[in-house]
Every structure is written in C-alpha cells, then in structure tokens.
Amino acid sequence: MDPTVLNTLNAERRARRAAILVTDLGDGSSRIVRESDTVAGGLGEATRQAFRTGRSQAIEVDGRTLFLNAHLPPPRIVVIGAVHISQALAPMARLAGFDVEIVDPRTAFATPERFPEVELHAEWPQDVLGRKPLDAFTALAAVTHDPKIDDFPLLSALEAGCFYVGALGSRKTHAKRVERLLSQGATQAQIDRIHAPIGLDIAASSPAEIAVAVLAQIVQALRTRGTERAEAAATE
C-alpha cells in the first residue's frame, strides 16, 4: 500500500473518523474515501452503504473490481446520569456492541456496585468531556432530569455532531430545555436533532423497558446515518 494512503488512513482512525480504503483489484491502486467526501455513481452508493453498515465488500464499477475496506470507529454511548435506566441500558448496549460510559457527579449514584464492569465517571460532564471529547460516532443520552448536569453535555453533543442525542423528560420539560439551550447558543436546527421524549415510542413504562426503547432508537440512528445526504445525492 502507498505509504501516503496508509498514513492518511491511520490519521483518520486515530481521530475516530470513518474512512473507506478503496483498492482497485486490477492494478492495486488505492485511495481513501472519507464520509464527508462526495462520490458519484455506483461507487458513491456503495461507499454510503459501507459507511452505514460497516461491512467491507468487493464491487464491480465501470468494468473494474474494487474492494471497499470499511474502517468505522467503535460506536460508543455516553450516558449522562447513573440512574435505574442506565443500569439496564449499560449491559444491553454492551451486548449490542457499543462501548458504554456513565457520567454522573452524584457519587451516591455513580458507584461501581451499581455499575459493575462499566466505565464510570463520578465527575461533572464538562470535566469528563474535556478529556474525552464527543464525536460523530458517539451517542449521548441525558437522563438525570437535572439541567445543571444534562445541559452542558447536550450542547456539546450537538456541537460535536453526535449521531444520536436523546434527553429524558416530558414535552413540557423539553420545552424549558429548548429555551435554555437556545439562550446558550444552540440553533433551532441543532435542537431539532434531540430525541425528546427519549426512545422509540413503544409505550415503555419501567426503567428496563425505557432502556430497550432508547437502545433501539440509538441503533436505528447509527444504521441510518447519512441517509438524508444519500437521498439528496441521488436526486442531484
């Protein structure tokens, strides 16, 4: 492989950005396609699908056989709030293949006994996210009901372009949240990305059922990333 191509690929992986290594199996040449790149035709559709699914495959385009090697960062879920929903969500999310982190400055809730084998931060979100920034392959779920804890990471998730942003609370609670976030500089378009009430509407009532609804919505968001951009490209 061309050292320049390899260096570029490694840089994208270190930055937790998705990239696809496209190799022409006929002449061995290769190139990197980033998720933000505009690629037309059959190759464009194939790369968009690979970015959504993470699956590598060989394709035929214009008489050439190309191998698409997809390199997607491991998706992670950052849960703000060490509550009962989080206790159910963490093990289910790990089984589904997500890295999971729980953040809550309330040390009475954020304990290893309540969250065994989970990366736990009994700190304020701004301190944790300062060390471990959010990114496009992170889902953020804010479930504390406390604006002092939830608002900063929600704003950070919108600015970072997290693939999923969800917040627990009623529509009335969310309306007040919207006012606060707008006053802190969020745009209406950003706020419209927040899933609130959080989770798919499956009439969930218990913490475990709400966790199922949240995880299902996160998976849906992950596997449909870039769909709107793909639809727009198809109409051009």
Side-chain angles (χ1 to χ4, degrees), residues 104-121:
D104 196 324
R106 302 171 298 181
T107 54
F109 294 95
T111 67
E113 291 75 23
R114 298 183 73 229
F115 292 92
E117 300 180 358
V118 176
E119 187 170 348
L120 184 64
H121 305 279

Side-chain angles (χ1 to χ4, degrees), residues 34-57:
R34 300 175 179 84
E35 198 163 16
S36 59
D37 292 344
T38 299
V39 182
L43 178 59
E45 175 55 36
T47 55
R48 287 189 288 270
Q49 181 180 4
F51 280 125
R52 288 195 296 272
T53 66
R55 289 195 293 268
S56 300
Q57 62 175 331

Side-chain angles (χ1 to χ4, degrees), residues 79-129:
V79 184
I80 308 299
V83 299
H84 292 308
I85 295 171
S86 312
Q87 286 181 287
L89 176 60
M92 288 192 294
R94 290 178 61 201
L95 284 173
F98 291 90
D99 295 333
V100 182
E101 298 178 41
I102 308 292
V103 182
D104 196 324
R106 302 171 298 181
T107 54
F109 294 95
T111 67
E113 291 75 23
R114 298 183 73 229
F115 292 92
E117 300 180 358
V118 176
E119 187 170 348
L120 184 64
H121 305 279
E123 304 173 67
W124 285 95
Q126 41 267 60
D127 296 328
V128 178
L129 301 184

Side-chain angles (χ1 to χ4, degrees), residues 19-21 49-50 53-59 67-72:
I20 294 175
L21 175 64
Q49 181 180 4
T53 66
R55 289 195 293 268
S56 300
Q57 62 175 331
I59 63 170
F67 188 79
L68 310 186
N69 195 343
H71 294 266
L72 273 59

Side-chain angles (χ1 to χ4, degrees), residues 82-210:
V83 299
H84 292 308
I85 295 171
S86 312
Q87 286 181 287
L89 176 60
M92 288 192 294
R94 290 178 61 201
L95 284 173
F98 291 90
D99 295 333
V100 182
E101 298 178 41
I102 308 292
V103 182
D104 196 324
R106 302 171 298 181
T107 54
F109 294 95
T111 67
E113 291 75 23
R114 298 183 73 229
F115 292 92
E117 300 180 358
V118 176
E119 187 170 348
L120 184 64
H121 305 279
E123 304 173 67
W124 285 95
Q126 41 267 60
D127 296 328
V128 178
L129 301 184
R131 298 192 309 269
K132 303 185 68 176
L134 302 172
D135 57 51
F137 278 83
T138 300
L140 184 121
V143 294
T144 74
H145 272 304
D146 187 338
K148 297 189 302 296
I149 302 174
D150 284 349
D151 283 4
F152 178 85
L154 283 171
L155 191 59
S156 298
L158 296 175
E159 292 174 345
C162 288
F163 75 84
Y164 175 88
V165 184
L168 187 68
S170 65
R171 287 178 172 79
K172 182 178 180 180
T173 297
H174 186 58
K176 295 179 180 178
R177 179 187 293 127
V178 168
E179 291 179 3
R180 294 193 305 272
L181 295 179
L182 285 172
S183 71
Q184 295 176 61
T187 66
Q188 188 60 53
Q190 287 178 319
I191 289 173
D192 289 344
R193 295 190 58 239
I194 300 175
H195 295 275
I198 198 170
L200 293 181
D201 185 3
I202 58 172
S205 60
S206 69
E209 290 175 348
I210 294 171

